[in-house]
Amino acid sequence: MQTTTHFTESGPSIEVDAAPPSPIREATNDIAPFLAGLAPLSIALGAAMASTGMNPIVGLAGAALILAGQSQLAAIEMIAAGSGVGSIVLAVALINARFALYSASLVDWFRDEPKWRRFALAASLVDIQYVLCGPAYEQQSDARWRRRYYLTLSGLAIAMFLGGQAIGVVVGEFVPAGLGLDLAALLGFVGVLADKNNRAADTVAAVLAAVIVVVGAALPGGMGLPLAIVVGALVAKKLDGAS
Amino acid sequence: MTVLMTFILCGAATFALRSSMLVVGHLPVVQNFSQHMRFAGTAAVGAIVASSLFVSNGSATTGRASEVGAVIAALAAARLTGKTSATLGAGLVTFWILAALGL
């Protein structure tokens, strides 16, 4: 509970501000659509891992080290195909190039945190934090609140990501092909997009980025995605500022 | 051992990307840049969804009708109901129907 004292002509008045919402509860509510989509995707990833004959302990360790489904799947397929270590690491780095863009937000979000803690927070940075933390942090500037919100998102996402894959390793062979499990994570994103798309600037950001990523599909190094995000965000900010 | 080492190197490369701007974050250009990224989250979702639907092996495609239809149905359900279960349900059911029709 925070109190603020104002001095007016009739004397001092004290306003009692409402306590900020629990960061853990807020994060849990906000991430729910993603988790609903991440669960089937993780099971599909585990099933894909099992189908290559990879040692499941090693595979799950890889999932924990990379923490990114698309690049993990690429690495699994390339390992199974006998690709060289250098080309696998390069492919993973290119697919994950967007994380360099995401890390710029960490500078802004955790400006008052010690450097070691910001590096620790960066270890679990994925799409979900990038999408959810910005809007949430517009309302909350307290460093501890922000850290707890972020870590709750990280913990829930990682638990679902690794737990789902462990289940997928075990039950993968019983899951019918063509069930569309890998589509579910995408649908989770769609749910959030529809929820956020209330301002004209949000719509512009999403649509413009979507067009650019398709038009720039052939750009080298997988740079179409980060470029689309930057241009979409900058144009939306410009429009929002103008209005 | 080689597979585990490959994953460790992949993880190290990804962590380097995740923390890259922390190293140069004190530069004014980075701080100025991050302050202009207010709508980047929404842009990222739009780009990720479009990339998943219409980009394959570095080339633009027309996308699979079953997946595009599923996303449109999910978007409509999310707009109308605001519920995750309805969003996922509408999307997956549409996908199954369209896939069964060979689309």
Side-chain angles (χ1 to χ4, degrees):
Chain A
M1 191 83 72
Q2 294 176 326
T3 59
T4 309
T5 305
H6 295 283
F7 292 92
T8 62
E9 288 181 357
S10 57
S13 67
I14 298 176
E15 285 182 7
V16 179
D17 298 334
S22 158
I24 295 172
R25 193 182 310 127
E26 288 286 301
T28 305
N29 288 339
D30 291 346
I31 202 175
F34 287 100
L35 292 182
L38 186 58
L41 171 73
S42 303
I43 292 172
L45 275 171
M49 187 198 308
S51 69
T52 65
M54 181 178 287
N55 181 325
I57 303 297
V58 173
L60 289 173
L65 286 164
I66 299 174
L67 283 184
Q70 196 180 1
S71 57
Q72 183 200 343
L73 185 60
I76 290 170
E77 289 175 350
M78 290 179 78
I79 288 169
S83 303
V85 174
S87 58
I88 296 171
V89 174
L90 182 62
V92 167
L94 290 175
I95 293 170
N96 291 338
R98 68 189 184 283
F99 289 136
L101 168 64
Y102 294 0
S103 75
S105 294
L106 290 176
V107 178
D108 200 35
W109 295 340
F110 301 112
R111 192 171 297 280
D112 299 327
E113 297 283 9
K115 203 163 193 173
W116 69 267
R117 190 176 276 163
R118 283 196 275 173
F119 275 94
L121 291 167
S124 62
L125 177 64
V126 291
D127 298 307
I128 289 171
Q129 282 101 330
Y130 193 56
V131 172
L132 295 179
C133 287
Y137 292 171
E138 282 183 16
Q139 311 297 324
Q140 303 294 338
S141 58
D142 178 66
R144 187 163 178 265
W145 193 98
R146 288 184 168 196
R147 192 169 66 245
R148 293 178 72 193
Y149 180 88
Y150 182 97
L151 290 173
T152 303
L153 293 179
S154 298
L156 291 172
I158 291 172
M160 182 62 80
F161 188 63
L162 298 181
Q165 290 199 42
I167 292 170
V169 167
V170 177
V171 306
E173 60 182 300
F174 305 111
V175 177
L179 204 56
L181 292 185
D182 50 344
L183 188 67
L186 197 63
L187 299 178
F189 273 110
V190 170
V192 172
L193 190 63
D195 187 45
K196 287 168 65 68
N197 240 357
N198 294 324
R199 281 184 297 193
D202 275 314
T203 305
V204 168
V207 172
L208 188 58
V211 171
I212 292 173
V213 81
V214 175
V215 173
L219 284 175
M223 293 309 293
L225 188 64
L227 179 70
I229 295 170
V230 169
V231 175
L234 285 177
V235 172
K237 176 87 165 94
K238 189 89 175 170
L239 284 176
D240 194 52
S243 64
Chain B
M1 187 62 190
T2 307
V3 174
L4 183 59
M5 188 55 66
T6 303
F7 279 137
I8 290 172
L9 291 172
C10 289
T14 306
F15 177 71
L17 290 165
R18 285 184 167 117
S19 57
S20 56
M21 292 296 170
L22 296 179
V23 179
V24 296
H26 60 284
L27 299 174
V29 66
V30 176
Q31 295 185 3
N32 189 33
F33 174 76
S34 64
Q35 286 167 5
H36 283 81
M37 289 291 104
R38 180 179 171 192
F39 294 97
T42 318
V45 174
I48 289 169
V49 171
S51 174
S52 300
L53 290 177
F54 302 114
V55 178
S56 177
N57 296 321
S59 301
T61 69
T62 53
R64 289 179 60 195
S66 54
E67 293 182 353
V68 176
V71 167
I72 292 170
L75 199 55
R79 281 278 195 187
L80 291 172
T81 68
K83 291 182 179 175
T84 306
S85 54
T87 304
L88 282 174
L92 283 175
V93 168
T94 304
F95 172 76
W96 292 331
I97 292 171
L98 294 177
L101 293 172
L103 297 172

